[in-house]
Amino acid sequence: MTCRSVVSLVPSLTEAVAATAPGLLVGATDWCTHPSGLDVTRVRGTKNPDVAAVVGLAPDLVLANEEENRPEDLRALREAGLRVMVTEVRSLEQGFAELHRVLTEGCGLSRPEWLDTAEHAWARARARLDVRAVVPVWRRPWMVLGRDTFAGALLAHLGVHNVYAAHAERYPRVPLPELAEPGRADVVVLPDEPYRFTADDGPEAFPATPAALVSGRHLTWYGPSLAEAPDVLGAALSAALV
């Protein structure tokens, strides 16, 4: 199917489409920060898209994700007659498969070279670590990675085992005294999104545990950043454990 215009409601997919066919995107969310300088119509956020604005752009395809976007918004877009493709990404393998599906089946593009490069990078990546980790994604309240998450799968591939990987919830709320208990984890992994943890905001809550400040884009995005993610994440983790 020929696709001439796309609106993406997922930052990862926005970057993936822009890197493959720069002129295809006509709309994206305010959270779509890559590539820098992206000049398209902004349609608010992933959780509160301006449905009327998306419909007004009359795209051939709207890209969404089952975790990042609300069912009611996607239903409204479909009821308006738009074609909506929804991804599910909870593992590294699923991420690569969904990227291929979106770009080739959804957008009608040839499989891009960067996707092969990213797959090869992760195929070559080896678990250089063997550590237990707590991975907060929010504070006030504290929330961490639980079961079946893409970020957890990436870390596991690198030898970082999520303490809460068997939790019943995917993003459980856990009291800080439990998270920071000495001996609970070998390292606390603090990404800069969705909550922006920094050297001055996060590590102080875990005085007994080394903290690794990592790029949220390389940990949670499935797109061109996957090609360099093994090295970027590996370096940040190794530095924290010296």
Side-chain angles (χ1 to χ4, degrees):
M1 176 180 178
T2 301
C3 189
R4 295 164 296 181
S5 59
V6 172
V7 169
S8 172
L9 303 180
V10 185
S12 298
L13 298 179
T14 297
E15 184 178 18
V17 174
T20 308
L24 198 56
L25 280 169
V26 295
T29 74
D30 296 340
W31 297 106
C32 296
T33 56
H34 287 75
S36 60
L38 182 66
D39 185 17
V40 296
T41 299
R42 299 294 177 163
V43 294
R44 289 204 306 248
T46 57
K47 302 295 186 186
N48 65 334
D50 186 335
V51 172
V54 176
V55 173
L57 290 170
D60 294 323
L61 177 67
V62 177
L63 297 176
N65 174 264
E66 53 90 26
E67 181 176 5
E68 295 195 50
N69 307 118
R70 303 186 306 172
E72 54 266 39
D73 294 322
L74 305 184
R75 184 167 54 250
L77 292 170
R78 288 192 174 105
E79 289 174 352
L82 297 183
R83 178 184 173 221
V84 180
M85 177 175 274
V86 182
T87 59
E88 178 184 279
V89 178
R90 301 190 182 189
S91 70
L92 189 56
E93 295 76 15
Q94 196 175 25
F96 287 128
E98 287 288 63
L99 283 167
H100 178 87
R101 183 173 74 95
V102 163
L103 296 171
T104 61
E105 297 178 26
C107 299
L109 302 169
S110 297
R111 180 182 170 90
E113 184 177 346
W114 65 258
L115 185 51
D116 290 330
T117 300
E119 282 209 70
H120 293 155
W122 280 97
R124 291 192 305 269
R126 295 292 178 265
R128 292 173 287 182
L129 303 169
D130 184 13
V131 294
R132 297 167 301 126
V134 167
V135 191
V137 292
W138 203 258
R139 69 182 301 176
R140 305 182 193 96
W142 285 93
M143 299 175 67
V144 299
L145 292 186
R147 62 174 180 84
D148 298 332
T149 67
F150 180 68
L154 262 62
L155 290 172
H157 195 95
L158 298 175
V160 180
H161 312 292
N162 178 13
V163 170
Y164 292 95
H167 198 282
E169 297 177 29
R170 296 184 66 217
Y171 299 99
R173 297 185 180 189
V174 182
L176 180 59
E178 178 180 328
L179 294 179
E181 181 183 4
R184 177 162 296 275
D186 302 308
V187 63
V188 55
V189 179
L190 299 171
D192 59 12
E193 62 175 90
Y195 185 90
R196 187 172 180 79
F197 288 106
T198 68
D200 299 320
D201 185 358
E204 80 290 342
F206 301 87
T209 310
L213 293 164
V214 303
S215 162
R217 175 168 163 261
H218 290 96
L219 180 62
T220 64
W221 288 35
Y222 41 97
S225 59
L226 282 172
E228 57 188 20
D231 289 337
V232 171
L233 294 174
L237 292 162
S238 296
L241 292 164
V242 170

